[in-house]
Amino acid sequence: MQKQQRQQQQQQQQPEESNHAPVSRRQSAYQQEQQPKQEWMPLPDSPGGYPPGLRYLMQVDQLIIKQQKEVMEILIGLDLPNQYVVLNTMGQPIYFANEKSSSVARNCCGAARPFELNITDSSGEEVIHVSRPYRCMCLHQGLSCLNCCKDLVTVEAPPGQLVGQVRQIHRRCEATYEILDSAGDKVLSIDGPNYCHCYCPGDDIPFSVRTHDGEEVGRVSRQWSNLMQEYFTDADNFGITFPIDLHLNVKATIIGACFLIDFMFFEKGGRMY
């Protein structure tokens, strides 16, 4: 009788235990679904006069640009269109940037390829457009002294409205650019490191943003990530700093300069440092 009672008690307990396990699994899955996701940066209020897409830049003096790589690109070894996310210092997304270029250009012209870069906000609307025509690459930019070799990007915000250009200039063995306004007048310059300078693993590579008199007012820095990413992909991270009161058109143009620097020096086939 005692054995029968124990068997009945065990049979009654087994369903209860089997019911508890699925519940705990469902709860953990539910908790994972409820984890907060990173919210987009809210659109600041504006007194007017600025395109909505540029108003995000009103309250920032630092940006982080991260290139995103597809697993398929790493596995097959072919270049796919570049994708970037632009973040503020709190890690909130501000923009997404998507390259538009042909497969032939990406895999034949490499880092020198022409491209159109569509920069969209949280609603998916294109707010900034960056375009780069084809330029030949003379000894990996080291002898780009001819006009046909000097790189140029045009920045529009919103698309169709020119706000500035970034033009490469020849200065011995240094990576140097001019930031131009919509009228073609120089407003700032970007001075990069010497082409012959070597950097060690773990070093950031700075490009200084300077005024007419040479004062440094900001930087575009290619930031070290990790060994795996550095040596097995060409996905790059950049940091941008500029004065918070800098004109929004100039801020947008500096963002365009960052993309040009990535393509010229850190994209596959154009890596210099």
Side-chain angles (χ1 to χ4, degrees):
M1 291 293 295
Q2 292 179 352
K3 290 182 179 179
Q4 292 179 353
Q5 289 177 354
R6 282 197 298 269
Q7 290 176 355
Q8 291 176 356
Q9 289 177 356
Q10 291 176 355
Q11 291 175 357
Q12 291 174 355
Q13 289 174 357
Q14 286 177 355
E16 293 177 359
E17 291 174 355
S18 61
N19 287 336
H20 284 312
V23 170
S24 62
R25 287 194 293 269
R26 287 196 298 268
Q27 287 176 345
S28 62
Y30 174 80
Q31 290 172 354
Q32 291 177 358
E33 293 176 356
Q34 297 303 310
Q35 289 179 354
K37 297 181 179 180
Q38 185 64 61
E39 296 182 356
W40 283 74
M41 176 181 173
L43 183 64
D45 295 330
S46 172
Y50 295 111
L54 294 186
R55 282 162 50 189
Y56 291 99
L57 303 177
M58 292 179 59
Q59 299 178 352
V60 297
D61 58 359
Q62 297 182 52
L63 294 172
I64 301 169
I65 298 181
K66 294 186 176 183
Q67 184 177 357
Q68 299 179 321
K69 279 293 179 183
E70 298 288 345
V71 176
M72 185 60 65
E73 180 174 2
I74 300 173
L75 294 177
I76 65 179
L78 293 178
D79 270 338
L80 299 177
N82 285 357
Q83 295 182 335
Y84 306 85
V85 59
V86 182
L87 312 166
N88 61 14
T89 54
M90 299 176 60
Q92 295 175 314
I94 303 177
Y95 303 120
F96 273 112
N98 296 279
E99 176 192 354
K100 301 297 182 182
S101 62
S102 68
S103 175
V104 174
R106 289 193 304 273
N107 293 285
C108 294
C109 300
R113 65 183 179 267
F115 65 81
E116 305 290 327
L117 207 62
N118 300 335
I119 302 178
T120 57
D121 61 10
S122 59
S123 66
E125 181 179 359
E126 184 179 7
V127 294
I128 302 175
H129 187 85
V130 180
S131 59
R132 178 206 193 189
Y134 173 77
R135 289 290 188 270
C136 60
M137 188 177 293
C138 303
L139 294 181
H140 289 278
Q141 305 295 342
L143 294 178
S144 296
C145 53
L146 302 176
N147 287 331
C148 63
C149 297
K150 293 179 181 178
D151 250 295
L152 176 76
V153 295
T154 300
V155 181
E156 300 173 352
Q161 181 175 329
L162 178 67
V163 296
Q165 291 182 318
V166 184
R167 182 174 63 192
Q168 180 191 12
I169 62 175
H170 180 66
R171 183 183 295 174
R172 299 181 300 277
C173 295
E174 297 176 354
T176 309
Y177 306 88
E178 290 179 338
I179 303 294
L180 310 177
D181 61 16
S182 57
D185 297 324
K186 177 183 174 181
V187 291
L188 293 170
S189 63
I190 298 179
D191 297 334
N194 190 287
Y195 290 107
C196 300
H197 187 89
C198 295
Y199 285 88
C200 298
D203 290 346
D204 292 345
I205 303 177
F207 293 73
S208 299
V209 180
R210 300 184 183 275
T211 60
H212 293 288
D213 57 5
E215 179 186 0
E216 182 176 286
V217 294
R219 280 192 174 190
V220 176
S221 299
R222 195 266 191 179
Q223 299 175 339
W224 173 266
S225 51
N226 58 69
L227 285 172
M228 293 292 291
Q229 181 171 322
E230 293 290 335
Y231 289 103
F232 294 98
T233 75
D234 57 357
D236 299 301
N237 297 331
F238 288 87
I240 300 177
T241 61
F242 38 55
I244 195 168
D245 58 350
L246 190 65
H247 197 284
L248 300 188
N249 289 352
V250 182
K251 289 184 178 182
T253 307
I254 292 176
I255 294 175
C258 179
F259 292 125
L260 176 60
I261 290 171
D262 181 35
F263 274 86
M264 287 182 64
F265 299 107
F266 306 107
E267 185 72 7
K268 185 185 298 182
R271 188 176 296 273
M272 281 292 300
Y273 305 107

